Structures are given as C-alpha cells and as structure tokens.
Amino acid sequence: MVDASEFIDEAVEEIREQIGDANAVIALSGGVDSSVAATLAYEAVGDQLTPVYVDTGLMRKGETQGIRETFDFMDSLRIVDATDRYFDALEGVIDPEEKRAVIGEEFIRVFEREARDVEADYLVQGTIYPDRIESEGNIKSHHNVGGLPEAVDFDGIVEPVRDLYKDEVREVARELGLEEVISERMPFPGPGLAVRVVGEVTREKAEVAREACHVVEEELEEYEPWQAFGAVIGKATGVKGDNRVHGWVVAIRSVESRDGMTARAQEIDWETLQRIQSRITGENENVARVVYDVTHKPPATIEYE
C-alpha cells in the first residue's frame, strides 16, 4: 500500500517540475481518480490550472449539477456541454474498440479547444495503473490511454496517479481531505454510459442506462459493491399491461474487488433483485426485462464494452 503522505509530497513536486511556469487543464469528471489528480495539480501550480468538466451526455444522473456544487471553490472551473458533439460522432458506431477510439478523439479535441482559450500547454489526467495495464494488454482501450489519437496538441500529458491502484487513490484522497462523497465514490468508466450500452449508442439507450444505473446504485448501497450498475444489452419481447412489447433488456452488474484487476459477482438476495427489476421496468415503459450478471472477472470484464 502506498504511503499517502509521502506520495502527495512527491507527486506535487513532480507536477510542478513537469508544468513549470506553463498553464494546464485538468480533465475533471467528479470521480476519485480525476478529483485526486486535480487536487494534486492545484496544490502544485495553483491558478495555472484550469479544471474542465465535459458533459458528454453519457454521465451519471445529476452529475453536472453535482460537479458545480462540489467544485465551486475552483473559480476557474469550466463546464462544457458537448452532448450533441458526442452523439453525432457515435452515430452508427457498433464495434467496442471503435467506440472507445471515437470517444478518445472527441475527448482530446474538446480539451485542445479549452486549452487554447487559456493558453495551456499541458493536459492533466486521472489515469490509474489498471487503465494502463488493460490498454497496453489489449484487453480494452481506455479513452485517456489507448484511445487517444496519435496527434495530440499538448506539450505533455501529466498523469500524477498513473502508478496507483484504485484503493491507493482512495487513500490519497482521504489524506488530501477530500469529502467522502468523492473518496469513497464508486468507479465510473471514462467513456461513461457508452460502455454500458452494447452496440450503437443513442440518446434513448443512454437515458435508459442512466436511469437504470441510478436505481441500481441506490438499491445496492447497503451491499457496498466495488462497482454496481445497469447496462442496456439488447432487446427482447415483454408484456406491459395487455400489450406485447419489444423493449430493452437491462443487465444488472454488481461486483466485489480490491483493485479492479479481478472481481467477483456479488450474491444479491432475491427480494432486492425483484425490487430493482420492478423499479427499472416500472419507471421506463421501454424496458421489457431485467437480468442479473453472475460472471466473475475473469472471464468477463467489469464493464460490458
């Protein structure tokens, strides 16, 4: 386990050396990884840092407003609505790796634009060690690792938590004094809901996934999962009232893990699963059925794409 206090001192000094007198932008998502990276960078270079949150349309329910409230102490915080841009770029894209590449392209181009506005030469990211391992091992590309385009208009990319596992990042967050809502927050994928929608990402499917994820997180809070969510995995026949419908299939996923490299599907009691399916199908007329994923990692990954 990392010595959090020692790590903070070393990371702040390293960031200061990398960025120097230049300006930087930080990709702030609200998750523990980017929040720790942002806090370390802010301690290192202060007002030279501009935090940027991009609303891709693929975020958690209420995420944008939550970002405004949590990080309102950062005067330079920018919130960018790129929803239309992302959905336009993802239209017709089915292959998971192509999807990640498209998201990586949009991700970096938005930040290049914001960086030009503040004359920033560096991009700070919350990439952690498992992200790098999965990208380098061709398990899956992360939008901020293997998904980045070859031509990037920055003098450098700064990744202060690149060698840490998730539990170590949480230790650093606690040492930094970040609120529990950040330090203990459940992981959320960089590409957002795009990897919780199998196949083409549409606004409708993303909204179904967003609401399902919200229900699952609420209902499974007492189980303290490493990660829990709902994913849209296809369509199937169902019955709503007296009508036959062909609606979305939502898969519930809830796993236990230490660092995300391996994971075990949680044993959830039947009553809880029934309550979740009742809420998801009852609150969305376009959902025909709900299933529970019992697969561990390996052989499955935690996310669907």
Side-chain angles (χ1 to χ4, degrees):
M1 180 65 68
V2 67
D3 182 318
S5 179
E6 182 178 318
F7 173 82
I8 291 170
D9 291 340
E10 293 176 355
V12 167
E13 185 57 34
E14 181 181 333
I15 296 168
R16 193 172 287 137
E17 289 180 2
Q18 282 185 273
I19 296 177
D21 295 328
N23 292 328
V25 287
I26 167 71
L28 183 62
S29 69
V32 65
D33 301 337
S34 67
S35 296
V36 166
T39 304
L40 292 170
Y42 189 76
E43 286 196 16
V45 298
D47 292 340
Q48 294 166 234
L49 178 72
T50 298
V52 179
Y53 166 77
V54 178
D55 184 352
T56 64
L58 301 167
M59 310 303 286
R60 285 183 173 107
K61 184 175 182 177
E63 187 73 89
T64 301
Q65 183 57 34
I67 288 290
R68 286 195 179 96
E69 295 172 358
T70 302
F71 296 96
D72 62 351
F73 65 92
M74 293 184 174
D75 294 335
S76 56
L77 173 65
R78 292 187 172 206
I79 294 180
V80 181
D81 185 354
T83 301
D84 291 342
R85 176 172 181 154
Y86 271 77
F87 280 110
D88 287 348
L90 288 166
E91 186 176 357
V93 178
I94 297 174
D95 180 76
E97 282 303 294
E98 184 182 354
K99 189 186 296 186
R100 287 175 174 272
V102 167
I103 291 170
E105 176 78 24
E106 296 306 311
F107 171 83
I108 203 69
R109 298 312 171 207
V110 168
F111 276 88
E112 285 176 345
R113 184 188 66 197
E114 297 303 311
R116 283 193 294 271
D117 284 347
V118 297
E119 299 182 341
D121 298 315
Y122 290 88
L123 172 64
V124 183
Q125 293 189 150
T127 310
I128 64 175
Y129 190 65
D131 297 341
R132 295 169 53 206
I133 293 299
E134 290 188 328
S135 288
E136 292 166 7
N138 293 319
I139 298 172
K140 59 183 177 181
S141 295
H142 287 263
H143 77 294
N144 54 351
V145 187
L148 286 176
E150 293 183 4
V152 179
D153 191 18
F154 289 104
D155 289 348
I157 295 178
V158 181
E159 298 172 319
V161 293
R162 64 189 178 280
D163 295 325
L164 301 186
Y165 288 97
K166 181 71 73 174
D167 56 338
E168 294 176 318
V169 178
R170 295 193 192 283
E171 283 296 321
V172 174
R174 297 178 193 118
E175 184 69 22
L176 287 168
L178 294 177
E179 296 179 14
E180 189 172 313
V181 68
I182 296 295
S183 66
E184 311 309 315
R185 196 172 199 190
M186 194 181 299
F188 188 71
L193 297 174
V195 295
R196 295 178 179 176
V197 170
V198 175
E200 182 182 10
V201 181
T202 65
R203 293 174 189 267
E204 180 189 356
K205 290 160 78 174
E207 189 58 31
V208 170
R210 183 172 9 259
E211 292 298 327
C213 287
H214 179 66
V215 170
V216 170
E217 287 191 19
E218 278 193 344
E219 294 290 347
L220 295 184
E221 185 177 2
E222 65 182 272
Y223 284 84
E224 299 183 346
W226 162 269
Q227 202 162 352
F229 57 88
V232 178
I233 61 173
K235 275 197 165 184
T237 302
V239 178
K240 292 287 183 83
D242 296 326
N243 299 317
R244 178 181 182 276
V245 297
H246 192 232
W248 299 112
V249 178
V250 171
I252 304 168
R253 185 92 161 116
S254 185
V255 300
E256 299 171 315
S257 181
R258 186 186 74 83
D259 54 22
M261 297 299 289
T262 61
R264 291 190 61 80
Q266 285 191 303
E267 294 186 24
I268 308 298
D269 72 84
W270 184 249
E271 182 180 346
T272 300
L273 289 174
Q274 283 297 310
R275 189 168 60 248
I276 292 173
Q277 76 80 19
S278 180
R279 283 190 61 184
I280 291 176
T281 57
E283 294 172 14
N284 193 317
E285 63 181 10
N286 295 320
V287 176
R289 64 181 67 190
V290 176
V291 300
Y292 185 62
D293 188 336
V294 299
T295 320
H296 305 312
K297 175 185 180 181
T301 56
I302 294 176
E303 297 289 349
Y304 274 80
E305 292 197 340

